[in-house]
Amino acid sequence: MEIDRRAFVASLGGATASSLMSDEAKADALEEFMSARLNETVAAQAGAAGQSFPSTAELEAQIETRPLRRGVGNLFAARTGNVKRLPPMPSKRLVDFFTYRFAGTSNHCLQSATKALRSGMTEEVVLACLLHDVVQEIIKVDHGWWGAQLFEPYVSEKTAFAIRYHQALRFYADPANGYEYPDLYRRMFGHDYRPEPYIEATYQMVRKHKWYGEARMVTVNDLYAFDPNAQVSLDVFVDVIGRHFKQPKEGLGFDNSPVAHMWRSIAYPDHPL
Ligand SMILES: [Fe+2]
Ligand SMILES: [Fe+2]
């Protein structure tokens, strides 16, 4: 497979972020990058061949064909082969988690936040976009709720709200605000998928909430396809993080907050218990 070097460096979070990574981390990231490109190609070929989306029954039938459940976090399972040794973290600041632990989600989140920044979103929405999916490093099931919980002690209520509810809003089109139901979900959940009642009830609540717009904008700026040519960098967001993310002086995971253990689980996913 031919590698677009610029796209690869961009996927690492830009030249600065990549210069901070160990060779091993870069090798892992390259593998991740190539596998994402491959998935894209396979999906595009399937689309071109007019292949239809799977049904929920077909997806359910696949459960027992895998060693892992689909909701497992990126850090805890390799897409192919074995997991790799993780580099130690120089500190427990948010930017270090981006560089050393969010390898599977940072490019997607940076692309979303970049889109939000360019479209003139408020900094609270830009931050929500930057953080909206990174909890998928530990768990994917109900990632909106998990993600909001992970960040709640450190961001505004509005940002946490947007992170929590983007998950439910994704399933409901809002063409007036520029959001159509993405094909990606027909592929992931099945063409005949109907959200569970708790998702529907959450949507109805959020639809009437004064912060509906904030949560909706996370879905509008979300990316539903991997763009290998996107130029993204965490550098652009350092000031937004500085203004809106309350970095604990003890480091994430060591501030005795109710979510400290979640950050430690991301820092040390190889601990057996
Ligand atoms: Fe998400
Ligand atoms: Fe997303």
Side-chain angles (χ1 to χ4, degrees):
M1 181 189 289
E2 206 173 306
I3 299 298
D4 178 341
R5 196 178 171 280
R6 277 192 356 163
F8 173 59
V9 171
S11 79
L12 300 176
T16 313
S18 70
S19 70
L20 292 169
M21 294 172 78
S22 68
D23 288 345
E24 197 168 357
K26 274 185 205 155
D28 289 354
L30 181 62
E31 199 168 302
E32 179 94 10
F33 178 83
M34 288 169 68
S35 124
R37 289 296 306 275
L38 196 61
N39 288 345
E40 274 295 298
T41 310
V42 169
Q45 283 166 350
Q51 193 173 312
S52 58
F53 299 112
S55 66
T56 50
E58 283 166 339
L59 290 171
E60 205 169 311
Q62 290 172 9
I63 291 175
E64 295 190 351
T65 68
R66 300 190 192 95
L68 295 162
R69 299 190 188 280
R70 292 176 85 197
V72 71
N74 299 323
L75 272 173
F76 295 92
R79 280 188 195 165
T80 51
N82 294 333
V83 295
K84 300 289 188 313
R85 196 183 293 254
L86 287 164
M89 297 186 62
S91 84
K92 300 297 187 294
R93 294 171 62 242
L94 179 64
V95 290
D96 291 313
F97 278 91
F98 260 93
T99 307
Y100 297 95
R101 292 294 183 272
F102 296 164
T105 53
S106 61
N107 180 272
H108 168 75
C109 287
L110 283 164
Q111 285 193 38
S112 299
T114 302
K115 193 175 166 200
L117 195 66
R118 288 189 185 144
S119 56
M121 296 288 117
T122 63
E123 292 197 339
E124 280 172 304
V125 168
V126 170
L127 184 64
C129 291
L130 183 67
L131 307 177
H132 78 286
D133 280 343
V134 298
V135 81
Q136 292 184 32
E137 301 294 351
I138 41 177
I139 188 162
K140 295 183 178 176
V141 186
D142 263 338
H143 74 282
W145 277 271
W146 280 93
Q149 186 180 3
L150 180 70
F151 288 111
E152 223 147 29
Y154 315 109
V155 300
S156 73
E157 246 185 280
K158 204 186 275 185
T159 295
F161 183 95
I163 296 171
R164 175 168 287 119
Y165 296 120
H166 87 274
Q167 180 199 332
L169 295 193
R170 296 172 313 163
F171 297 116
Y172 301 90
D174 181 355
N177 278 304
Y179 183 77
E180 303 286 352
Y181 189 86
D183 273 352
L184 177 68
Y185 294 157
R186 293 189 176 94
R187 196 172 298 128
M188 282 177 77
F189 293 89
H191 62 77
D192 54 341
Y193 172 72
R194 293 287 169 271
E196 289 86 340
Y198 78 95
I199 295 282
E200 170 69 22
T202 300
Y203 167 68
Q204 295 300 341
M205 181 280 287
V206 178
R207 190 77 188 85
K208 298 182 201 92
H209 196 280
K210 63 180 172 182
W211 292 339
Y212 169 72
E214 278 76 4
R216 175 51 79 195
M217 285 307 120
V218 175
T219 70
V220 168
N221 290 287
D222 211 338
L223 274 291
Y224 297 94
F226 183 78
D227 178 359
N229 297 312
Q231 297 292 310
V232 289
S233 164
L234 186 61
D235 300 351
V236 185
F237 303 103
V238 168
D239 288 346
V240 174
I241 292 170
R243 280 192 287 275
H244 299 279
F245 185 85
K246 297 179 211 84
Q247 171 69 48
K249 62 180 185 314
E250 306 89 343
L252 292 160
F254 302 92
D255 58 347
N256 284 322
S257 83
V259 300
H261 63 287
M262 292 168 73
W263 288 97
R264 293 195 301 270
S265 299
I266 300 172
Y268 311 121
D270 290 301
H271 285 187
L273 286 174

